[in-house]
Amino acid sequence: MINANIIRAVFINYAKDTKKNRKSMLAFVLIPVLAYLMQFILGDTTHKEHLSMIFMYLGMHCTLIPIMSSASAVAQDKEKNTLRAMMMNGVSPFEYLIGVSAFNILLTVAFSSLFVIMAADVSVVGRIYLAALLCSMISTLIGLTIGAYAQNMTAATSLTMVIGLPLMLLTAYSNISPALEKYANVLYNKQAMNVLADEGLINGKSLFVIGCNFIIVIILFVVAFQKTKFDD
């Protein structure tokens, strides 16, 4: 049975580790800073063009950063044998993963506030947070799967780049290329970003695609989990 107190302890422990590691915190501001610089370089644009650019960078942020941070967290704990110690002290793998995931998702959504500030449009605030939540949930699961599968930090970093960058770039450039959009439409991050459309609603197709992506990632995670057992 999953223990909420243990999950909270893992959450707090991961929060403390993240606070100590400033490099990991910098990753969460990297893409917002790039978005601000691009906004500065482009200068005067229409409001629609401005929001379109902000939304594109939000999608990049909520795709790549959760994958990087969650993969790094699991791989690092495996490499340092922290997971083995946790398992011996009664922490189940799923309690650990839920705790890490919750903090990672919360941090991603929190830093999405920078995009809210840059958007400077009250009407899109709710949509930005909802899109960030939907996208970061599956991105975090992908990162956890990578971390579970990778043997060490180096392998996790390589896999993150191989998987995370194409996911991020395909969705980012799908709005300017019909050919890319055709492929991006089967991805969770593209459908999550659809909530940022003018109507701000998620339709049945989007829910179906996000659900299918979620199931696929869960299956991949279970396979990776069974392969590593987290305490080998």
Side-chain angles (χ1 to χ4, degrees):
M1 185 175 179
I2 294 177
N3 190 317
N5 290 327
I6 292 178
I7 293 174
R8 184 167 59 250
V10 172
F11 181 98
I12 294 172
N13 182 64
Y14 185 43
K16 290 179 179 178
D17 288 344
T18 302
K19 185 178 179 180
K20 292 177 183 177
N21 187 352
R22 294 188 177 184
K23 289 183 179 180
S24 64
M25 293 295 291
L26 286 175
F28 284 90
V29 300
L30 175 62
I31 294 180
V33 168
L34 290 176
Y36 179 80
L37 290 175
M38 184 58 67
Q39 179 184 3
F40 178 78
I41 292 170
L42 291 177
D44 293 334
T45 57
T46 66
H47 184 62
K48 185 176 181 180
E49 291 171 339
H50 171 69
L51 287 181
S52 179
M53 185 198 69
I54 295 299
F55 295 161
M56 182 183 76
Y57 279 96
L58 173 68
M60 295 167 66
H61 170 77
C62 296
T63 298
L64 183 62
I65 303 306
I67 294 176
M68 289 176 56
S69 58
S70 56
S72 175
V74 178
Q76 183 175 343
D77 282 345
K78 284 178 62 180
E79 197 172 68
K80 293 182 177 180
N81 285 325
T82 305
L83 277 177
R84 183 188 297 273
M86 287 186 178
M87 302 306 121
M88 293 178 63
N89 283 283
V91 179
S92 75
F94 283 104
E95 287 168 340
Y96 168 81
L97 293 173
I98 292 172
V100 173
S101 297
F103 179 78
N104 196 59
I105 293 168
L106 178 63
L107 201 59
T108 304
V109 174
F111 274 95
S112 296
S113 298
L114 296 174
F115 293 98
V116 171
I117 295 171
M118 285 185 282
D121 187 339
V122 180
S123 67
V124 301
V125 172
R127 284 184 271 161
I128 285 178
Y129 284 125
L130 178 57
L133 176 63
L134 290 170
C135 190
S136 63
M137 285 175 62
I138 300 182
S139 291
T140 296
L141 286 174
I142 292 173
L144 294 175
T145 303
I146 292 173
Y149 180 80
Q151 296 299 316
N152 49 49
M153 283 287 293
T154 303
T157 300
S158 298
L159 285 172
T160 296
M161 294 299 103
V162 170
I163 296 172
L165 280 178
L167 274 174
M168 178 188 76
L169 295 175
L170 182 58
T171 299
Y173 293 112
S174 63
N175 291 330
I176 59 177
S177 171
L180 290 178
E181 186 175 19
K182 180 173 63 176
Y183 297 103
N185 279 331
V186 302
L187 298 175
Y188 70 96
N189 49 351
K190 171 64 175 177
Q191 296 301 328
M193 290 303 113
N194 281 347
V195 77
L196 296 170
D198 291 338
E199 62 272 16
L201 299 174
I202 302 178
N203 56 34
K205 177 186 175 182
S206 295
L207 287 174
F208 176 77
V209 172
I210 292 172
C212 287
N213 277 241
F214 180 81
I215 292 171
I216 291 170
V217 175
I218 286 293
I219 292 172
L220 292 174
F221 166 73
V222 170
V223 171
F225 170 77
Q226 291 177 339
K227 181 179 183 298
T228 63
K229 298 298 182 182
F230 284 94
D231 55 353
D232 289 346

